[in-house]
Amino acid sequence: MKNILIPTDFSDNAYKAISYAVRLLKDENCNFYFLHTYTPAIYQSEYLLHSPGQLGLGDIYRTDSETKLDGLKLKVISEFNNPKHHFKTYSAFSVLMEAIDELVESKKIDLLIMGTQGATGAKEIFLGSSTVHTIKRAKCPVLAVPFDFDVKMPTKILFPTDYEIEYNFELIKQVLFIAKVHKSTLDILHVRSSYELNEEQKKNKNTLGHLLSETKHKFHELPDQGIIEAINSIQSELHPQMLVMVKNKHSFLENLFLKPVINQIGFHSSIPFMVLPYHLLG
């Protein structure tokens, strides 16, 4: 049984992520947890000073959140009608990341799925601030789903790496699971620098190959260039339906997230984008 957490702000973008999630896992037994958090403006300053339990929050906010969550649950059940899927809702007077952390731990969440942009739908921003913050802090893999993605199942998964990571099963098990379910091919992308792989990189590549021994996969080497250019180039050639990357302490993702507007450096993912957190390497 997979445990999937999906935060929602009840926007069309958030529903797109839900729709993708239930299709991605349509043949699997899953618990889906829909999470909505709220901190009414009048309480935001007090919230920083006191615990939520000490605040006399009016029932109207909680009732509104719970009513919308119930409606969302009924809509998904009605639309997809999948007996393998079970849905639970959580309404929390909390900031989003604190509520996510709590549920990831208490419900043993395998994968967090969310939209790439918030209710504003700002076209110039690749990842909304909530998504970026979640990816940076989440203790489980995060799958960000673009709103304008034409839903296709991932028969090809693009996996860029510099082979600086000592891969293990725990780190990539959700990728392997999705690849098994959809009989996907993993396209491992490495951008070749002016020198050969060092011994550590060779060892890590071999380890990755061993972990992928029961999964269809191909290794690709591209000439020395920027990682973003390489991803864009090979996407136009291979047409993958999912992009997977590891967010380790020194990855380009860490630098990418420092940019206020990500599209200024030309990185757009028009396909679902899974980020694997560094701590899973431990």
Side-chain angles (χ1 to χ4, degrees):
M1 181 75 77
K2 286 289 180 183
N3 295 314
I4 311 298
L5 175 59
I6 309 180
T8 180
D9 58 2
F10 307 115
S11 64
D12 291 342
N13 180 60
Y15 193 78
K16 180 65 173 282
I18 293 171
S19 176
Y20 178 75
V22 297
R23 295 179 189 183
L24 182 72
L25 300 166
K26 69 181 180 66
D27 295 322
E28 305 304 312
N29 291 309
C30 297
N31 290 318
F32 289 93
Y33 297 90
F34 296 157
L35 169 66
H36 178 248
T37 60
Y38 57 95
T39 50
I42 191 172
Y43 288 98
Q44 285 177 357
S45 59
E46 287 88 344
Y47 181 83
L48 298 175
L49 302 173
H50 309 285
S51 69
Q54 294 174 318
L55 301 176
L57 181 63
D59 288 340
I60 184 171
Y61 298 106
R62 181 183 303 278
T63 300
D64 182 62
S65 175
E66 292 176 347
T67 299
K68 288 180 178 177
L69 280 170
D70 288 342
L72 175 64
K73 176 180 173 180
L74 290 173
K75 179 180 179 181
V76 173
I77 291 173
S78 173
E79 181 174 350
F80 295 98
N81 191 27
N82 190 334
K84 292 187 174 185
H85 291 173
H86 307 277
F87 302 95
K88 300 181 181 181
T89 61
Y90 285 87
S91 177
F93 177 54
S94 175
V95 293
L96 178 62
M97 205 59 233
E98 288 183 7
I100 286 175
D101 285 345
E102 182 179 334
L103 283 174
V104 165
E105 183 173 350
S106 65
K107 302 302 179 183
K108 302 188 184 308
I109 298 299
D110 297 295
L111 180 63
L112 191 159
I113 301 178
M114 62 193 305
T116 54
Q117 54 197 43
T120 57
K123 293 293 186 182
E124 70 275 13
I125 299 177
F126 159 56
L127 295 178
S129 58
S130 293
T131 311
V132 170
H133 192 53
T134 301
I135 287 173
K136 290 175 73 173
R137 278 195 47 184
K139 298 174 182 177
C140 69
V142 177
L143 179 59
V145 182
F147 178 67
D148 55 358
F149 174 58
D150 181 16
V151 175
K152 295 177 182 176
M153 292 301 100
T155 57
K156 277 182 166 289
I157 299 175
L158 180 60
F159 197 162
T161 178
D162 55 10
Y163 299 129
E164 299 285 353
I165 297 167
E166 187 176 343
Y167 286 103
N168 61 30
F169 174 74
E170 189 66 23
L171 176 67
I172 65 171
K173 69 178 182 180
Q174 300 307 329
V175 181
L176 295 177
F177 172 76
I178 289 174
K180 181 179 180 180
V181 168
H182 294 283
K183 299 179 173 58
S184 313
T185 297
L186 261 67
D187 287 298
I188 313 302
L189 168 65
H190 177 249
V191 178
R192 185 173 56 249
S193 58
S194 56
Y195 47 84
E196 296 295 321
L197 296 180
N198 60 38
E199 291 306 311
E200 189 68 22
Q201 287 174 308
K202 290 177 182 177
K203 176 184 173 184
N204 293 337
K205 181 179 179 180
N206 288 337
T207 299
L208 181 58
H210 177 72
L211 289 167
L212 298 177
S213 60
E214 296 183 8
T215 303
K216 289 185 292 184
H217 65 280
K218 297 177 182 177
F219 288 99
H220 302 268
E221 294 277 338
L222 288 187
D224 191 11
Q225 59 189 291
I227 182 65
I228 295 168
E229 289 76 15
I231 291 172
N232 290 337
S233 170
I234 204 164
Q235 279 196 108
S236 64
E237 176 186 339
L238 298 178
H239 306 292
Q241 296 87 32
M242 184 178 290
L243 172 66
V244 176
M245 301 192 72
V246 175
K247 185 191 72 65
N248 67 334
K249 291 179 180 177
H250 306 293
S251 73
F252 92 98
L253 281 179
E254 284 290 283
N255 296 325
L256 194 65
F257 289 156
L258 296 176
K259 301 288 184 179
V261 181
I262 288 177
N263 87 318
Q264 288 180 355
I265 53 174
F267 183 54
H268 303 269
S269 182
S270 58
I271 58 177
F273 176 36
M274 184 186 292
V275 179
L276 309 176
Y278 175 75
H279 86 281
L280 292 177
L281 287 167

